[in-house]
């Protein structure tokens, strides 16, 4: 017995966990110094050094990017975590995925997993691992093959340039639905230094077959395309574009893309590359001209001259008619880039819709889902523009949602410290107003409006608003925001244009002339020429985030917090300053503090009992009662004090980590002892295995001997078949009778009176008729003229038994096999006290009457002790067997109801030789409950039959006027 108190041995908490995990503490809730940020980081670093990248904070999973491949995602690892309790094995993303899945099944509710962290922290990889796990553990691999969307990923080897929310549908079928948020379309036409465009462009150029590239007008050299070289990193060592190209084509085949669909999709990708190679010169007036139409030849099957005009002129209304207005070179470049972004962005949306059609769960009535949100992380670059602003705005909203779900006590303080973008009249509102107002709105006028509207906010700063010292770090076209993750300086250049993202109407009209069916779907004629201004990019993004928030708040939340170990993607390097910063702004310490404010450990009763039941004799090896009661017995046996734990409706809560550690320490000792016992048992098992094989061999020998005996007996029975029935020929004669009846069944005469066509029975059958007649004579002698229902029994044939031996429990057969069963019948037995009815079997042997309940003999009455039986003179089927109470152990008389009353009593009378001891009584029958104590059964008639306990304490048996009982 283990006691937890002031006098108990203080356990080394670190050592206690090392006994269960290789390094460090695997759940921060059990960290003794849970308020220490240093202890928190030390534990993370200690585990990271040993490639233990996962650690829990309760059911929140922390994942530190190792910047290298780890051999922990094999099929064997998946099998290990399937169906296992969340905390039973070391932390892993598979454990979280499995726990979410089984919680969804058990609670029949919807859940979502939010994967968050800054860019490069490993969010997309975490998302892929979860999808991979569900694809393997559920009856479909579609999710795994279509999970990555290469057309929307970049700019480096592990960063997504769009937000993805997927609803994975389970139950009888597996399906899914993807929502995408803010594809970074500007990356199509411009990349910062060190960044790539979307991967699909490089994959097509590097991996495409020669014939395919020739058909698309492409060359196998990424340096030839303006949209691919601006970041000066076309080739990345960690990326194999050729292999990834094969993956893309395989994924498209999984979602039922045929050769035509694939050709059209890749034609769009190639067209974007060609569009980037369209270059403009200026004429003498500064208007844009095209000196070469070479690149336009490959654009979506649209006539070159039509494209030429659309890219150098725009239609404007003048005096109720449309006229062409030439572009300046700058405007032409903007129009070209706007078209490239529109083509790519709309094609991307089209592809997502096609994937959703492939993943759709066709079972409309079963829609239990797990949502999976993989969203871009917080971004801070040397130059931050409109895209980074939107991405960081998204992270602010998700962080707010996280706090709402898990740190509600912090909500008021967080909202008080909130930045301007969260308010209704925040930065996005000002930006939209500036984009939509009449006149020439520029990035600088937008900045001026921000300074006017947001100037007093403590988290907003510009060059104009800053003090002299701070101005040195701010350009005149910058503004700075204090986000939850730190300060970010944004360059306003391009905010207005990127937010408008306008595509001229005449360019849309030209796109509708394309022969590419995907483009025709992306630029539908129904889009019309509405005068209503389209929503700005920021508004679209804000609204999509609002819809996402509504989706998430309707589900149960689970979290994966991804941490970037260093900025250089160097394996094995743990940058403490960088990780500390992420731990702080992700609110991990606050989350730990909230989890530890109440109880450090909580588990469902069933799980706690299953793990620790060996520590208490009352619960080991099996607890048959209510789990909560078993846990209560267990913790009392272990000596838990009242303030150390609390019993809730479904879980036990343990307040102190040391209490759990001591329990676990005792479990380790117990497990060691159990291991020794198991080894001893194994040796015994080997011995008994040999013994068992010997027993089986002897059984086989006996079985063969029995078979020989039966064959001999059959042959002997055949030889003596014409003699009187003996032990030697009884089995054979039974076989002869059965064979005759089977033949007779198929050859019955057309009428009973036809005596000429009856099959001639074998001599043994005359004995059958003789026995049947003899039984009917006994029945007549006892009941004729005495019991009302007797006449109706005459035409009913008696059978050898009403219960076959295979329907009698084997244990019963083994117990009474030496007495030989003569007859069995189902009965209802009424208790002598209270008259509760109970179904039983009545078995007659050569020596005694047995009352049987499944595998248990409830009462045995040998025929010497059987005084007789009594029945009423009415139409009921109740009988009382009277027992001599000579033996103190003998129970009283039996009150039984039997549907085959005449047959059963006739068999009993003949087997026990009690023909003269069966009495037919009028009115009431008395019976002995026990020595010196009597009960009674009263009989009467009415319109409805019934049996019940009367007010006088007797059993009341009411039969109807027309009762028929055989």
């Amino acid at each position: 017995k283990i006691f937890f108190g002031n006098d108990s041995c203080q356990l080394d908490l670190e050592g206690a966990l090392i006994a269960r995990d290789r390094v460090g503490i695997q759940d921060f809730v059990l960290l003794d110094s849970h308020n220490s940020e240093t202890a928190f980081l030390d534990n993370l670093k200690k585990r990271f050094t040993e490639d233990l990248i996962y650690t829990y904070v309760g059911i929140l999973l922390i994942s530190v990017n190792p910047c290298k491949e780890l051999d922990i995602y094999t099929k064997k690892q998946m099998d290990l975590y399937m169906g296992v309790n969340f905390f039973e094995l070391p932390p892993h993303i598979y454990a979280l995925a499995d726990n979410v899945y089984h919680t969804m099944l058990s609670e029949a509710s919807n859940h979502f997993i939010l994967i968050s962290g800054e860019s490069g922290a490993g969010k997309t990889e975490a998302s892929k691992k979860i999808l991979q796990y569900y694809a393997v553990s559920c009856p479909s691999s579609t999710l795994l093959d279509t999970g990555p969307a290469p057309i929307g990923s970049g700019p480096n080897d592990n960063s997504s340039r769009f937000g993805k929310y997927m609803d994975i549908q389970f139950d009888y079928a597996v399906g899914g639905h993807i929502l995408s948020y803010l594809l970074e379309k500007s990356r199509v036409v411009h990349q910062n230094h060190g960044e790539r465009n979307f991967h699909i462009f490089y994959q097509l150029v590097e991996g495409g077959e020669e014939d395919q590239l020739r058909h698309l007008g492409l060359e196998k050299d990424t340096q030839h395309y303006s949209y691919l070289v601006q970041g000066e990193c076309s080739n990345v060592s960690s990326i194999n574009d050729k292999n990834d190209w094969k993956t893309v084509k395989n994924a498209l085949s999984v979602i039922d893309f045929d050769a035509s669909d694939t050709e059209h999709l890749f034609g769009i990708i190639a067209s974007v590359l060609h569009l980037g190679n369209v270059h403009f010169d200026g004429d003498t007036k500064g208007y844009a001209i095209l000196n070469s139409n070479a690149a336009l030849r490959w654009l979506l099957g649209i006539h070159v001259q039509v494209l030429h005009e659309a890219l150098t002129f725009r239609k404007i209304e003048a005096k109720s008619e449309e006229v062409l207005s030439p572009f300046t070179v700058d405007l032409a470049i903007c129009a070209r880039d706007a078209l490239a972004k529109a083509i790519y962005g709309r094609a991307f949306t089209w592809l997502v819709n096609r994937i959703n059609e492939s993943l759709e769960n066709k079972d409309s009535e079963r829609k239990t889902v797990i949502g999976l949100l993989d969203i871009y992380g917080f971004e801070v670059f040397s130059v931050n523009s409109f895209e980074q602003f939107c991405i960081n705005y998204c992270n602010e909203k998700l962080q707010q949602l996280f706090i709402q779900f898990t740190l509600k006590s912090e909500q008021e303080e967080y909202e008080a410290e909130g930045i301007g973008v969260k308010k209704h009249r925040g930065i996005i509102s000002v930006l939209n107003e500036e984009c939509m107002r009449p006149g020439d709105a520029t990035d600088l006028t937008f900045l001026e409006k921000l300074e006017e509207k947001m100037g007093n906010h403590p988290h907003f700063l510009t060059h104009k608003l800053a003090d002299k010292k701070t101005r040195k770090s701010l350009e005149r076209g910058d503004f700075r925001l204090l986000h939850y993750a730190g300060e970010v300086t944004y360059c306003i250049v391009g905010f207005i244009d990127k937010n408008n993202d306008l595509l001229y109407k005449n360019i849309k009209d030209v796109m509708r002339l394309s022969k590419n069916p995907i483009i025709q779907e992306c630029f539908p004629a129904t889009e019309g020429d509405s005068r209503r201004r389209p929503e700005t990019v920021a508004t679209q993004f804000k609204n999509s985030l609002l819809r996402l928030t509504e989706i998430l708040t309707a589900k149960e939340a689970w979290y994966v917090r991804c941490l970037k170990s260093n900025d250089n993607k160097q394996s094995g390097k743990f940058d403490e300053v960088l990780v500390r910063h992420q731990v702080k702004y992700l609110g991990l310490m606050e989350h730990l503090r909230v989890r530890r404010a109440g109880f450090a450990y909580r588990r469902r009763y069933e799980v706690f009992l299953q793990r620790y039941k060996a520590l208490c004799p009352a619960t080991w090896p099996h607890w048959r009662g209510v789990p909560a009661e078993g846990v209560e017995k267990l913790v009392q046996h272990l000596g838990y004090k009242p303030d150390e734990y609390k019993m809730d409706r479904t879980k036990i809560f343990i307040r102190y980590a040391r209490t759990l550690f001591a329990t676990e320490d005792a479990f380790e000792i117990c497990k060691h002892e159990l291991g020794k016992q198991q080894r001893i048992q194994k040796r015994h098992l080997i011995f008994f295995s040999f013994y068992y094989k010997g027993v089986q061999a002897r059984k086989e020998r006996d079985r063969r001997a029995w078979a020989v005996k039966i064959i001999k007996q059959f042959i002997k029975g055949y030889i003596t078949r014409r003699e009187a029935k003996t032990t030697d020929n009884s089995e054979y004669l039974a076989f002869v009778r059965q064979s005759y009846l089977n033949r007779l069944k198929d050859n019955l005469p057309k009428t009973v009176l036809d005596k000429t066509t009856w099959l001639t029975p074998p001599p043994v059958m005359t004995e059958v008729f003789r026995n049947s007649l003899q039984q009917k004579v006994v029945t007549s002698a006892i009941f004729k003229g005495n019991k009302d229902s007797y006449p109706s029994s005459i035409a009913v044939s008696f059978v050898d038994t009403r219960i076959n031996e295979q329907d009698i429990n084997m244990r019963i057969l083994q117990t009474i096999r030496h007495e030989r069963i003569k007859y069995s019948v189902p009965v209802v037995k009424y208790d002598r006290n209270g008259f509760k009815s109970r179904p039983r079997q009545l078995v007659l042997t050569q020596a005694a009457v047995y009352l049987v309940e499944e595998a248990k003999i409830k009462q045995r009455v040998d025929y010497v002790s059987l005084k007789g039986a009594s029945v009423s003179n009415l139409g009921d089927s109740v009988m009382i067997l009277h027992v001599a109470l000579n033996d103190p152990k003998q129970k009283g008389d039996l009150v039984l109801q039997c549907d085959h009353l005449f047959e059963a009593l006739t068999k009993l009378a003949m087997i026990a030789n009690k023909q003269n001891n069966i009495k037919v009584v009028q009115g009431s029958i008395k019976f002995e409950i026990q020595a010196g104590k009597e009960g009674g059964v009263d009989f009467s008639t009415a319109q409805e039959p019934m049996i019940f306990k009367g007010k006088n304490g007797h059993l009341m048996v009411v039969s109807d006027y027309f009762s028929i009982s055989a």
Side-chain angles (χ1 to χ4, degrees), residues 324-387:
L324 293 176
S325 174
F327 283 141
T328 64
V329 173
D330 288 343
L331 282 177
I333 292 172
C334 287
R336 177 201 66 189
D337 290 347
L339 177 57
K341 291 187 289 183
I343 291 174
Y344 190 86
R346 295 188 184 204
F348 178 79
T349 301
W350 178 89
L351 178 61
V352 169
N353 292 336
R354 277 293 297 269
I355 293 174
N356 284 337
E357 291 175 12
S358 172
L359 297 180
E360 182 183 5
N361 186 344
K362 307 301 181 184
D363 186 351
S364 59
E365 295 184 359
R366 303 185 69 87
K367 293 284 186 175
T368 312
V369 302
I370 292 175
L372 185 60
L373 178 59
D374 170 16
I375 205 91
Y376 19 59
F378 193 82
E379 290 189 346
V380 185
F381 298 138
S382 56
V383 177
N384 302 288
S385 188
F386 176 74
E387 294 79 19

Side-chain angles (χ1 to χ4, degrees), residues 828-832 840 842 849-851 858-861 866 868-870 878-883 890-897 927-929 937:
V828 175
K829 179 249 184 182
Y830 290 91
D831 290 351
R832 287 174 283 272
R840 297 287 187 263
L842 189 69
V849 178
Y850 288 89
L851 191 66
K858 302 297 291 185
Q859 189 168 350
R860 179 185 186 277
V861 181
L866 181 65
S870 299
V878 172
M879 58 183 176
I880 293 92
L881 302 186
H882 301 286
V883 182
Q890 182 61 269
K891 298 179 181 178
D893 294 348
L894 290 169
V895 181
L896 308 173
Q897 185 270 327
F927 65 92
E928 288 191 274
I929 299 174
V937 182

Side-chain angles (χ1 to χ4, degrees), residues 31 39 80 202 280 294 331 498 526 628 697 817 860 873 922 945:
L31 186 68
L80 190 64
Y202 306 94
F280 301 96
L331 282 177
K498 290 175 180 178
T526 54
R817 66 181 182 276
R860 179 185 186 277
N873 65 322
Q922 293 185 7

Side-chain angles (χ1 to χ4, degrees), residues 49-115:
T49 304
E50 295 296 323
D51 288 338
L52 298 173
I53 63 171
Y54 296 120
T55 312
Y56 294 137
V57 183
I59 58 172
L60 179 147
L61 179 67
I62 298 175
S63 172
V64 185
N65 190 350
C67 302
K68 63 179 180 181
E69 292 292 330
L70 297 178
D71 189 28
I72 59 172
Y73 304 107
T74 62
K75 175 65 165 59
K76 184 177 179 181
Q77 285 282 325
M78 291 186 194
D79 293 339
L80 190 64
Y81 280 89
M82 284 182 192
V84 176
N85 176 259
F86 189 52
F87 296 95
E88 190 169 327
L89 294 173
H92 201 291
I93 199 161
Y94 291 162
L96 179 93
D98 190 77
N99 200 42
V100 176
Y101 174 70
H102 283 94
T103 305
M104 176 202 70
L105 291 182
S106 63
E107 297 179 358
S109 57
N110 297 325
H111 297 252
F112 78 90
I113 303 171
L114 172 57
I115 304 173

